[in-house]
Amino acid sequence: GAGVSQSPSNKVTEKGKDVELRCDPISGHTALYWYRQSLGQGLEFLIYFQGNSAPDKSGLPSDRFSAERTGGSVSTLTIQRTQQEDSAVYLCASSLPGYQETQYFGPGTRLLVL
Amino acid sequence: AQSVAQPEDQVNVAEGNPLTVKCTYSVSGNPYLFWYVQYPNRGLQFLLKYITGDNLVKGSYGFEAEFNKSQTSFHLKKPSALVSDSALYFCAVRDMMKSTFGDGTTLTVKP
């Protein structure tokens, strides 16, 4: 079946503009995760959804970052007033519920803030 | 708090030789451990995981990993490396629904 999809694949924006990144999880996966991967770095956890609710928002780096999920499916990560340090690859993953379930990752959105 | 360490930024092996990519972890509860591989400009692909049971876990593409509770390690291994195994490898530990990833190890397999 179809994997996790993300759009856009690449986004170039100017400092101060808002951006929206979209994630389409695998059908039936109730858990959804957002991570950020900076150049040469590991993955930084941002936020996790179970259904439409986000029990853990601890990883969001500032109040400029927000995320929502509707219908238990598509999720949008919004970054307001982008800064150059926001430049990174934003990865989305989804899984079935449960601690031992495997997370399946999308290809990522490469964000460049000029 | 949980943590993962991948002590080697880079591992170089010759094709046909065995490879090991090291991972150690720290977690307060039962460790759920994962290995992922990332090819250039791609997302992460799942290789294998340890949840419980046999300490030797077999995964995709001929990879395996050995869970060692006393050494808190979960090293990734393959008996015979291929040039196509060259990629970035991540170890991750899961606590509740949050995963913590290591910084990654770049594996280069030379012909």
Side-chain angles (χ1 to χ4, degrees):
Chain A
V4 177
S5 61
Q6 293 185 246
S7 61
S9 54
N10 290 280
K11 176 72 176 178
V12 181
T13 190
E14 294 179 348
K15 177 181 172 182
K17 294 279 180 72
D18 298 350
V19 296
E20 285 189 353
L21 312 180
R22 176 187 168 109
C23 172
D24 242 301
I26 292 172
S27 178
H29 281 192
T30 58
L32 185 147
Y33 312 79
W34 283 99
Y35 294 89
R36 179 167 70 175
Q37 185 178 25
S38 301
L39 187 63
Q41 301 291 318
L43 273 70
E44 175 189 9
F45 169 80
L46 297 179
I47 190 170
Y48 143 69
F49 286 91
Q50 178 57 47
N52 291 337
S53 64
D56 189 350
K57 300 182 181 180
S58 62
L60 294 176
S62 76
D63 58 8
R64 296 187 295 105
F65 287 73
S66 63
E68 65 175 13
R69 189 179 186 195
T70 55
S73 182
V74 171
S75 175
T76 302
L77 177 69
T78 301
I79 309 173
Q80 296 178 309
R81 306 181 301 281
T82 52
Q83 304 294 313
Q84 289 182 332
E85 61 262 29
D86 298 334
S87 297
V89 177
Y90 289 81
L91 291 167
C92 175
S94 71
S95 77
L96 294 170
Y99 304 150
Q100 63 266 52
E101 296 297 336
T102 299
Q103 295 178 36
Y104 293 91
F105 283 81
T109 293
R110 191 174 299 272
L111 174 66
L112 178 61
V113 182
L114 300 176
Chain B
Q2 61 199 39
S3 65
V4 175
Q6 293 182 241
E8 300 157 318
D9 291 337
Q10 180 101 22
V11 171
N12 299 312
V13 298
E15 187 174 31
N17 283 0
L19 69 88
T20 298
V21 183
K22 295 180 180 178
C23 172
T24 59
Y25 67 90
S26 174
V27 65
S28 55
N30 291 324
Y32 300 131
L33 298 157
F34 299 77
W35 275 101
Y36 289 86
V37 59
Q38 186 177 35
Y39 296 99
N41 301 314
R42 302 283 296 276
L44 275 69
Q45 296 179 30
F46 169 73
L47 281 178
L48 51 80
K49 65 182 177 184
Y50 172 82
I51 303 300
T52 186
D54 195 349
N55 289 344
L56 185 63
V57 179
K58 294 187 183 296
S60 306
Y61 313 120
F63 284 93
E64 58 188 29
E66 186 168 9
F67 170 67
N68 188 317
K69 188 173 182 178
S70 63
Q71 296 185 5
T72 60
S73 67
F74 189 56
H75 301 330
L76 181 69
K77 299 182 180 184
K78 187 173 183 180
S80 179
L82 300 172
V83 172
S84 57
D85 293 331
S86 298
L88 182 59
Y89 290 79
F90 289 99
C91 180
V93 64
R94 188 86 167 265
D95 184 16
M96 308 294 280
M97 294 304 284
K98 179 177 177 180
S99 290
T100 300
F101 286 78
D103 289 338
T105 298
T106 299
L107 172 67
T108 302
V109 182
K110 298 186 177 179

